[in-house]
Each structure stands twice: as structure tokens, then as C-alpha cells.
Amino acid sequence: IAHGGVILHASYVNYKGRALLFTAPSGTGKSTQAALWEKYKGAEIVNGDRVIIREGREGYEACGIPVCGSSDICLNRTLPIAAIVYLQQGPENLIYEMRFAERVKRLVSETTISFFDHDFVERALNILQRIAAQVPCYYYSCTKDAGAVLALYNTLKEI
């Protein structure tokens, strides 16, 4: 926060030099989706559990962090963010771009925030609102197979 960044609970993949972030509560399938992107699209998994998001020279960027959770993957990579995808498990692949208020709500729910520090909360919310206004954010109810990768890829290829 002191340096204008937040820590998001997310799996972070490098796809063609851009960051794709999968965020959701624990056990939803962030690491699974990252592994599917690695398998079917040749993406590099940068971190399976956490990512720092900060404003860079060309917009918001994802930064590797030396905390990897159970994934055991934590690489030092900083890339511009292509999209943030909020996941939910589902019987079929349904995706939509979230509106601003939903973006902020979902980002807050998966960001490390010290709610006992008023200044910290205010700074974090300001950063998250700027991210929500500038970074494409999607809600994705999806399966755990190649079809999930294809459906998201077809949505994101225009970004």
C-alpha cells in the first residue's frame, strides 16, 4: 500500500507477455485454471496463490511475489495485466465482463486488507477502484477442462 500496490489472492499466468490473473476464494480452481492454460495454451505459471498489482508506466501490472501457497510456484516476473478473471465452478462455461461496482466488490473480497487501519483501508480502496476502472475484469463460471480455456481465450483474444 505504501508503494501504491495491493496483494491479490490469485493465480498469475504469463500468456504471450501479458498477465492473466485468476482470482476467487480458496478451493475454487484458480490453480486448476492456471494449469489448464499452461497445458493447452503454453502459458507460464508465475504464481499459484498471490500477486502484487501496481500501476506501471503503461497501466496496471502484475508482479511476482515470493509467497506461493500450496502451488510451490513463485517466479519474479512483472507484466502488464491483460485481464482479471473472478472464477466460480460451474457445469458450463459462462463469462461476462463485470460492471464497475461488481469489479470493486470482487477485488476487495480477494485482496489482503488490514481493516483495523483506517488509512490502509482508504488507500487500498482507492487503488482497487482505479484498477477496476482501468483493467478488464470478468466473472467466469467454468468447468475444469480444455473447453474452459477455449471459452475464455475466445473472449480475451480481442484484448
Side-chain angles (χ1 to χ4, degrees), residues 71-131:
S71 76
D72 228 17
I73 302 170
C74 49
L75 305 176
N76 183 12
R77 304 270 190 284
T78 299
L79 298 169
I81 300 173
I84 299 172
V85 180
Y86 186 88
L87 297 174
Q88 179 176 327
Q89 294 177 10
E92 58 184 321
N93 299 312
L94 301 171
I95 186 168
Y96 66 85
E97 190 164 3
M98 293 185 283
R99 293 181 183 211
F100 179 78
E102 185 178 4
R103 291 176 183 207
V104 173
K105 176 184 171 185
R106 302 286 186 190
L107 289 170
V108 167
S109 72
E110 298 305 321
T111 300
T112 303
I113 298 176
S114 173
F115 287 100
F116 299 104
D117 182 338
H118 176 74
D119 183 56
F120 188 101
V121 171
E122 186 174 325
R123 291 170 83 178
L125 290 176
N126 285 333
I127 292 167
L128 292 171
Q129 288 175 0
R130 289 195 308 272
I131 292 168

Side-chain angles (χ1 to χ4, degrees), residues 9-11 25-32 45-50 65-74:
H9 179 221
S11 285
S26 295
T28 303
K30 297 177 302 295
S31 297
T32 299
I45 301 173
V46 176
N47 194 299
D49 195 55
R50 300 271 189 251
I65 183 171
V67 174
C68 53
S70 62
S71 76
D72 228 17
I73 302 170
C74 49

Side-chain angles (χ1 to χ4, degrees), residues 10 25 32 52 58 80 88 92 102 114 134 137 141-143 148 152 156-157:
T32 299
I52 294 174
E58 299 177 22
Q88 179 176 327
E92 58 184 321
E102 185 178 4
S114 173
Q134 296 178 38
C137 297
S141 176
C142 59
T143 58
L152 183 56
L156 299 179
K157 66 182 174 184

